[in-house]
Amino acid sequence: MDIVTVVLLTIVLLLVLLELRVQFSIPYRAGKKYPGPKALPLLGNAHNLLFNDQQRTFQLPRRWAALYGDTYRILVRGLLNLNAIQAKDVEPLLSNPKLIDKGLIYSLLHDFLGIGLLNSTGSKWQHRRRILTPAFHFNILPSFLLTFQEECRNLVAQLGQYADKGAPVALQPVATKFTLNTICETAMGIKLDSMTLANEYRSRIEAIGTMLLQRLMNPWLFEEFNYKITGLHAKFKKLLQPVHAFTRSIIQQRRELFHQNIQNIGDFTEENIYTNIKQRYAMLDTLLAAEAKEQIDEEGIREEVDTFMFEGHDTTSAAIIFTLLLIAHSPEVQQRLYEELQQIVSSRSDSDHEEFTQREYNELKYMDMVLKESLRLYPPVPFISRNISEDTMFGDRLVPKDTLFNVHIFDLHRDPAVFPDPERFDPDRFLPENVEKRSPYAYVPFSAGPRNCIGQRFAILELKSVLVAILMSFRVLPVTKREDVVFVADLILRTKDPIMVKFERRCASGQQAR
């Protein structure tokens, strides 16, 4: 027997032993209790994931959800991935205070966002959550509302130019500019449009998102070594430098203002955080107060500000885009929304103010239902992932430690047993009598449980501000058809082609309707 034959036989034997080790492993045996695509020897389901473009990558989980109709498994490099699409498995995951570790995918964000509220776990996450909760206190929301309404006026003026020409509007750039401006001012206390770096900052954020997606779409780039040898890591770090420098410069400017305005840091609480600051409040002020008490350092502040900047603009932008698409195709819903606004206006005893107050926004019950149904059909974050930190029983099925457990919110919200005719846009699904029949874990656009979205009230108020401003001025008319929308895999819910609508002024004179 020659040396080549010996080597080949040795390789074959090692591969067989490796495959046997996988098949007798706890993850492999646990995965057998779940349906899923056929796993190949050694490769598992890696062949299903490779060589897909963004469109096919988005469609693949949709096909599996339709095929299996239950939590399904895939195996990659011996790692068990479970994918939940029903409330029965989402609830024990999201409600468990021990299962708060984020999945592998979130580690790709570490260079950009650090390990802050989004990426951290354990005591660090609990500490950061406690620090940041006051930044979203209901007493502070009116301060954010001033920013929302100011940017809404700019948005209405911009849309008016399209309306006067009868031209269709691509919603993504318009909505993204709006939400990036609002999050910059509410998170950092600066007007992005007033700064010479505004366009560069916007373009850098977009480029960062593109590079993160490139890595996400190529699992072999998850390994730091592979990412570095391609040169992509160095390119990404270079892209991050001016963004982090920009954030740090804003933090330093705000810190100086903060110390000028606050005389007694020791008594600084969420109750007086707003009243003691002469200029408009920003989330950054809460972090600076924590820094003064030595609860967070400068790098920690940078982590959280960058997190809010990134998380707070793209997701809300997506929600605006899809809500406008839906109401453009539902004139009866749009008319009912407008009538609700007119009812608020006509009931005012004080006719001096034109802008809606926070109390008036809270009275928009039908708009609440419309937004919830929009977020059901088109959740801005269609997918979340957790790492199972200890062996856990999900019903009668064991989920072993180190399993990646993913919640496909896009499919969860389309469970026909919970939402009949799931593609139909029907705000009445969120009438109180309908909501009480459903599991609260059947609808989780802001996640749920201990790690639910800390900024969901902020986001809803921003969405209401935009809808009120637009609907008081315009009718929204369809251009892009819902059935023509093609989704692509991304960090948020995104479409292959721009979503277009038209805006028509409500008054022939061009004046806003009152």
Side-chain angles (χ1 to χ4, degrees):
M1 187 179 295
D2 60 31
I3 188 66
V4 174
T5 303
V6 171
V7 170
L8 288 175
L9 287 174
T10 301
I11 292 173
V12 170
L13 178 62
L14 287 174
L15 292 175
V16 169
L17 291 173
L18 182 60
E19 176 61 17
L20 287 173
R21 180 183 177 187
V22 169
Q23 291 198 18
F24 284 97
S25 67
I26 292 175
Y28 190 92
R29 284 183 284 135
K32 285 187 173 182
K33 293 192 175 182
Y34 295 87
K38 182 176 176 58
L40 298 179
L42 298 177
L43 288 176
N45 295 108
H47 64 290
N48 297 116
L49 306 179
L50 296 175
F51 312 116
N52 290 324
D53 59 17
Q54 285 180 262
Q55 185 176 330
R56 288 194 296 270
T57 298
F58 183 87
Q59 291 171 343
L60 188 60
R62 315 290 81 83
R63 292 201 301 270
W64 282 337
L67 178 62
Y68 301 116
D70 190 7
T71 296
Y72 60 90
R73 57 102 189 106
I74 59 173
L75 290 160
V76 181
R77 295 167 59 192
L79 183 67
L80 177 61
N81 287 255
L82 295 178
N83 301 273
I85 59 173
Q86 293 179 328
K88 65 179 177 64
D89 285 330
V90 173
E91 179 170 2
L93 176 72
L94 298 187
S95 64
N96 192 326
K98 295 180 180 179
L99 303 181
I100 63 171
D101 292 3
K102 291 298 185 77
L104 174 67
I105 230 172
Y106 295 85
S107 65
L108 306 186
L109 297 168
H110 286 178
D111 283 343
F112 177 24
L113 303 179
I115 306 177
L117 190 65
L118 177 68
N119 295 322
S120 59
T121 189
S123 59
K124 181 174 182 178
W125 172 78
Q126 292 169 349
H127 178 63
R128 292 288 176 88
R129 181 87 179 200
R130 281 196 300 270
I131 289 175
L132 286 161
T133 295
F136 297 95
H137 194 277
F138 66 87
N139 286 339
I140 291 171
L141 287 178
S143 175
F144 295 150
L145 185 55
L146 295 174
T147 299
F148 297 158
Q149 291 174 336
E150 187 176 298
E151 290 298 333
C152 280
R153 289 192 289 272
N154 296 335
L155 176 63
V156 166
Q158 182 182 2
L159 296 179
Q161 298 175 15
Y162 289 96
D164 293 340
K165 297 175 183 177
V169 180
L171 290 176
Q172 200 272 340
V174 173
T176 301
K177 180 180 178 181
F178 169 83
T179 55
L180 192 53
N181 283 352
T182 57
I183 198 64
C184 264
E185 188 163 356
T186 54
M188 297 196 291
I190 60 105
K191 289 184 179 295
L192 192 58
D193 275 347
S194 69
M195 304 188 65
T196 55
L197 292 175
N199 289 332
E200 182 183 0
Y201 183 79
R202 283 196 192 93
S203 65
R204 294 271 180 173
I205 290 291
E206 290 173 5
I208 287 168
T210 299
M211 286 204 70
L212 285 170
L213 180 63
Q214 179 186 22
R215 192 176 183 189
L216 180 64
M217 296 289 295
N218 294 278
W220 70 281
L221 292 176
F222 283 20
E223 298 288 348
E224 282 294 316
F225 177 77
N226 294 340
Y227 197 49
K228 287 179 178 178
I229 63 172
T230 62
L232 290 171
H233 184 259
K235 182 180 177 182
F236 189 58
K237 295 284 277 189
K238 185 176 181 181
L239 196 61
L240 289 176
Q241 286 174 357
V243 171
H244 288 167
F246 175 80
T247 306
R248 290 191 182 99
S249 70
I250 297 302
I251 291 170
Q252 181 57 34
Q253 292 176 40
R254 192 73 180 187
R255 183 183 286 113
E256 293 171 3
L257 284 171
F258 179 87
H259 286 291
Q260 289 172 13
N261 287 305
I262 300 300
Q263 302 301 315
N264 190 352
I265 296 297
D267 294 332
F268 202 72
T269 64
E270 60 264 34
E271 284 79 15
N272 64 26
I273 188 172
Y274 175 57
T275 57
N276 279 287
I277 296 178
K278 294 177 183 177
Q279 73 279 354
R280 195 174 291 182
Y281 168 78
M283 298 174 200
L284 178 51
D285 297 319
T286 295
L287 293 166
L288 292 171
E291 181 188 45
K293 297 176 184 178
E294 299 183 347
Q295 296 174 342
I296 191 171
D297 60 17
E298 182 175 354
E299 189 59 21
I301 292 176
R302 201 273 307 162
E303 289 175 338
E304 301 303 347
V305 171
D306 278 334
T307 295
F308 280 119
M309 291 291 297
F310 186 66
E311 286 283 293
H313 87 275
D314 243 6
T315 52
T316 312
S317 172
I320 292 170
I321 291 167
F322 290 115
T323 301
L324 291 175
L325 172 70
L326 287 167
I327 65 173
H329 284 279
S330 306
E332 70 288 349
V333 170
Q334 189 173 164
Q335 181 60 26
R336 190 170 165 186
L337 283 168
Y338 181 66
E339 289 170 358
E340 184 178 53
L341 301 183
Q342 290 301 303
Q343 187 176 1
I344 294 285
V345 172
S346 63
S347 66
R348 289 172 177 167
S349 56
D350 177 10
S351 59
D352 291 339
H353 70 282
E354 291 190 6
E355 299 286 8
F356 275 53
T357 64
Q358 188 174 350
R359 179 184 59 80
E360 289 173 333
Y361 285 114
N362 292 338
E363 292 173 3
L364 297 172
K365 301 305 181 185
Y366 186 66
M367 185 174 287
D368 274 325
M369 293 162 56
V370 170
L371 287 171
K372 287 175 180 176
E373 176 68 347
S374 174
L375 293 171
R376 180 192 71 82
L377 278 165
Y378 301 123
V381 180
F383 165 95
I384 57 177
S385 179
R386 298 283 173 84
N387 181 65
I388 302 300
S389 54
E390 59 183 47
D391 290 354
T392 307
M393 294 300 296
F394 281 64
D396 60 350
R397 297 185 289 194
L398 170 70
V399 176
K401 180 182 178 182
D402 294 329
T403 296
L404 281 180
F405 207 121
N406 310 310
V407 177
H408 290 271
I409 299 175
F410 191 91
D411 300 305
L412 174 72
H413 287 182
R414 284 166 167 74
D415 184 351
V418 180
F419 301 104
D421 191 8
E423 291 296 337
R424 178 168 52 90
F425 176 56
D426 181 10
D428 285 351
R429 296 183 200 270
F430 290 91
L431 287 167
E433 59 267 29
N434 292 330
V435 172
E436 67 182 12
K437 300 173 186 175
R438 296 195 293 264
S439 164
Y441 291 88
Y443 173 76
V444 291
F446 295 103
S447 188
R451 292 206 77 146
N452 68 338
C453 175
I454 193 174
Q456 57 186 290
R457 286 190 300 182
F458 172 96
I460 292 296
L461 184 60
E462 183 173 5
L463 291 172
K464 283 186 171 183
S465 303
V466 174
L467 277 187
V468 168
I470 288 175
L471 292 176
M472 289 294 285
S473 301
F474 307 105
R475 290 182 182 86
V476 189
L477 306 176
V479 176
T480 299
K481 298 178 181 178
R482 279 189 64 193
E483 59 268 27
D484 291 340
V485 172
V486 176
F487 293 103
V488 293
D490 204 333
L491 299 172
I492 65 160
L493 191 64
R494 207 179 295 281
T495 58
K496 178 183 176 184
D497 301 308
I499 288 180
M500 313 283 287
V501 299
K502 282 187 176 182
F503 295 93
E504 177 184 82
R505 290 193 184 272
R506 287 195 175 271
C507 294
S509 65
Q511 298 298 312
Q512 292 187 23
R514 285 298 309 275

